[in-house]
Amino acid sequence: MVRLWKSKEDREIERKMRMRKAKMALKQYINNLENLKRKIFLQGKEAAKLGDEALLKRSAMKYLALEERIKQAKRLLLLMEEAEVQRELVKVSANFIQFSQDIVESIAEGPGAQDIARMQVEFEKAMGRVEELDDALASMLDLTSESILTGDFSAETVEEAASLFEESASSDLEPKSRLKQIEDAMRG
């Protein structure tokens, strides 16, 4: 029997496979660019030895362009990995919320019906936010993996993925007190 739709688990498995393929393709792309950058650098050195200023300038321009492409590709790879981690955090949060809801329901005799109804509404709101965040992150991962696998990778793709991720990131998941310290440690 042919199924006309896929289960959520099937879609998730396909998404993970596409992500793995896209990440491998992106890493290969970065390696190829790094190799090309080294070749161009050596060509520029040779042009300098020969005293050919025009060739030296072209080599330097190509080198800078490759550095920018490498930077964009690495940024996209980091965004994809960050989105995957964020999705795992969302899933863990959803599991905890469900567990909390089950606990509240199991001890329903203690609080009054009004309190239980209020807690139920809050749990449902939290689950709705978790599902929205998961959907947004899944869309971002789908966009980036498809653009990489189809060869439609550009600076606009990186920016679109970054903006989707930033829109979906929950501000309450970001510890503000230590954020600057962590950023400085990463820079140092």
Side-chain angles (χ1 to χ4, degrees), residues 93-106 123:
S93 298
N95 291 340
F96 179 74
I97 290 170
Q98 186 63 48
F99 169 75
S100 299
Q101 183 177 9
D102 293 344
I103 294 295
V104 168
E105 289 172 0
S106 71
F123 283 129

Side-chain angles (χ1 to χ4, degrees), residues 21-78:
K21 285 180 185 177
K23 285 171 62 176
M24 287 178 12
L26 193 53
K27 287 176 182 178
Q28 184 62 43
Y29 176 69
I30 291 168
N31 286 337
N32 291 342
L33 289 177
E34 292 282 358
N35 290 335
L36 191 56
K37 186 176 89 168
R38 279 189 283 282
K39 285 180 185 177
I40 289 174
F41 184 79
L42 293 174
Q43 286 176 346
K45 284 182 78 165
E46 192 63 32
K49 285 180 187 176
L50 295 173
D52 189 338
E53 287 299 314
L55 185 56
L56 175 64
K57 287 182 189 226
R58 283 196 308 271
S59 293
M61 287 178 14
K62 289 176 194 173
Y63 187 86
L64 284 175
L66 282 172
E67 276 188 337
E68 188 59 33
R69 284 188 188 168
I70 292 168
K71 184 177 166 184
Q72 288 174 346
K74 285 181 177 180
R75 182 170 182 232
L76 182 57
L77 185 59
L78 283 172

Side-chain angles (χ1 to χ4, degrees), residues 117-130:
R118 187 171 42 251
M119 283 188 263
Q120 182 68 27
V121 168
E122 289 302 316
F123 283 129
E124 288 175 13
K125 284 181 186 176
M127 286 303 289
R129 287 191 300 267
V130 164

